[in-house]
Amino acid sequence: MIGMGESVPFRVDIADEVLDDLRRRLRATRWPEAQTVPDWSQGVPLDRVRELCRHWADGYDWRATEARLNALPQYRTEVDGLWIHHLHVRSPDPDAIPLVMTHGWPGSVIEFLKVIGPLTEPAAGDAPAFHVVCPSLPGYGFSDKPTGPGWGVERVGRAWVELMAGLGYERFAAQGHDWGTSVSTAIAQHAPDRVIGLHLVPPLAAPDPATLDDLTDAERRSLADLERAGAVEDGYSLEQSTRPQTIGYGLVDSPAALCAWIVEKFRAWTDWEHRTFTDDDLLDNLMLYWLPGTGASAARLYWESFKAVQQRFAGSTTDEVTVPVGGSVFPKEIPRPSRRWAARRFTDIRYWSEPALGGHFAAFEQPDLFVAEVRACFRALTA
């Protein structure tokens, strides 16, 4: 049984010399030559990384972001032997739904800063408000780094159940994307009686073989995009799922390497033309990897869980999820399961939406639309 220990208030307080060291490293970067093509097909163009790193060193204001984080209630709570960092913002609405929101890689709780306030505010009509809990995954942000193997998504899900119970929420809802989708699903499978419902962006579900001779246009596009992404976008996951320690040396030592490794994915996985986040927002997220030195520990979650997730998506496993579920499938997301594919695994889908804008980092890209999706989902799930 997972144990939960002490919980203590937490404030971010980064020493000046740590920021000075970051600036020194950025200014002393040994740059490679430029790519030999005029696009992103060989990776992030040199000019883009140099521009971001120049701003990171000489224009970016970490102290403003530190103040934004510290304006929210933050804690570190001991769960299953690790101290887990989390934001915990209660709604003034006494009927608010407790909601644990889980980020993924290469994200962080920074992704949720623009949606926490709106989600906690009382809403008009029958739209719910939420008591929002945003934990940093083990090995991410200001959570502890596991010192031994075994911290895969199932264990994280069990830990989140105990975390929510320790915060006084015996029943709660879960929301997630990327690794957060798998963690939220693991919560529902571990403790279905504790879960009000899930909002997944999107639900992780394999294409249904029975539909392959009768695909919709949307399903056909989804499969084509998935095949293309597998051919050109998956190098990072192969490295992180097999040799996270090796890539970790560069990610922990070189801010330029960390910048290129992560920003590539924010460019490839977003609805870039319609994004609302700025370069400063991207750097805010990078800081939650740079400051605690989590390049290796965050990548290690792929070593722990990526194979099992791949098998599940390939249809090799048929584990069902029986709690009420809502899915939002944003147009630039990959993968984009259809509702009938998802229904093979998620047996009680009560909300399904395909918004017009947004991609993999929906809360970061389209915060207003994301808030509307979460509210609409749980209005349907609790009706």
Side-chain angles (χ1 to χ4, degrees):
M1 180 174 179
I2 291 177
M4 178 166 163
E6 187 180 3
S7 182
V8 296
F10 177 79
R11 284 179 60 83
V12 184
D13 185 15
I14 304 302
D16 288 340
E17 51 264 35
V18 173
L19 302 180
D20 291 341
D21 175 70
L22 169 60
R23 297 185 188 102
R24 177 188 63 77
R25 289 169 182 264
L26 286 163
R27 292 166 184 156
T29 299
R30 185 184 183 193
W31 296 103
E33 70 282 358
Q35 66 284 354
T36 58
V37 291
D39 54 29
W40 287 60
S41 61
Q42 293 181 356
V44 189
L46 175 64
D47 287 350
R48 175 58 173 153
V49 183
R50 294 191 75 160
E51 173 191 30
L52 273 170
C53 288
R54 188 180 303 115
H55 179 60
W56 202 0
D58 298 318
Y60 171 73
D61 181 9
W62 164 252
R63 295 301 183 197
T65 302
E66 191 175 73
R68 288 170 64 206
L69 284 167
N70 288 335
L72 299 172
Q74 298 177 84
Y75 303 87
R76 294 228 314 157
T77 299
E78 188 179 13
V79 186
D80 198 11
L82 290 185
W83 286 86
I84 299 299
H85 167 258
H86 53 98
L87 312 176
H88 181 198
V89 185
R90 290 186 59 85
S91 172
D93 184 346
D95 297 321
I97 298 171
L99 177 66
V100 58
M101 301 174 64
T102 309
H103 66 86
W105 186 93
S108 67
V109 296
I110 290 291
E111 295 179 69
F112 300 129
L113 291 188
K114 295 179 182 178
V115 304
I116 292 173
L119 285 172
T120 61
E121 293 169 3
D126 59 353
F130 302 89
H131 302 307
V132 176
V133 179
C134 295
S136 296
L137 288 165
Y140 288 68
F142 299 113
S143 287
D144 277 0
K145 302 168 187 173
T147 57
W151 274 97
V153 292
E154 289 81 8
R155 188 171 179 181
V156 176
R158 294 193 300 270
W160 275 199
V161 172
E162 296 306 312
L163 174 65
M164 293 300 281
L167 297 176
Y169 303 128
E170 288 300 319
R171 297 197 75 239
F172 59 92
Q175 193 283 328
H177 71 286
D178 194 90
W179 284 121
T181 296
S182 294
V183 170
S184 299
T185 302
I187 290 171
Q189 292 176 315
H190 171 64
D193 58 321
R194 304 276 295 278
V195 178
I196 295 169
L198 305 180
H199 177 241
L200 304 177
V201 187
L204 183 62
D208 183 354
T211 68
L212 297 183
D213 292 331
D214 184 30
L215 294 172
T216 67
D217 289 343
E219 289 169 340
R220 194 172 290 109
R221 288 193 298 270
S222 176
L223 289 175
D225 286 347
L226 190 64
E227 182 178 3
R228 176 190 58 78
V232 301
E233 295 291 347
D234 280 356
Y236 83 98
S237 62
L238 181 61
E239 179 68 19
Q240 294 190 165
S241 61
T242 59
R243 299 293 186 269
Q245 189 70 18
T246 301
I247 189 63
Y249 296 111
L251 300 180
V252 170
D253 184 65
S254 169
L258 180 71
C259 178
W261 192 250
I262 286 181
V263 166
E264 176 190 290
K265 299 311 171 191
F266 276 90
R267 177 64 173 81
W269 295 349
T270 58
D271 186 356
W272 190 252
E273 293 183 359
H274 301 107
R275 70 194 185 280
T276 64
F277 61 79
T278 65
D279 282 355
D280 278 355
D281 294 328
L282 287 174
L283 294 175
D284 288 343
N285 181 64
L286 283 176
M287 289 295 267
L288 262 68
Y289 287 81
W290 177 259
L291 295 172
T294 59
S297 58
R300 205 167 286 125
L301 184 54
Y302 282 75
W303 186 88
E304 293 281 0
S305 290
F306 193 65
K307 183 177 180 179
V309 170
Q310 279 188 313
Q311 290 174 339
R312 188 168 288 119
F313 186 74
S316 300
T317 58
T318 56
D319 57 321
E320 290 187 346
V321 181
T322 59
V323 305
V325 170
S328 296
V329 185
F330 289 84
K332 296 299 182 179
E333 178 65 279
I334 298 174
R336 298 187 307 276
S338 65
R339 180 167 184 161
R340 63 174 176 168
W341 292 350
R344 293 181 68 224
R345 185 182 185 206
F346 299 90
T347 62
D348 189 9
I349 296 176
R350 301 187 190 181
Y351 178 81
W352 191 267
S353 176
E354 298 180 10
L357 303 174
H360 187 69
F361 306 95
F364 204 49
E365 298 176 53
Q366 296 290 335
D368 293 343
L369 181 55
F370 176 84
V371 169
E373 284 294 305
V374 173
R375 281 209 158 111
C377 172
F378 286 105
R379 182 171 54 236
L381 266 58
T382 58

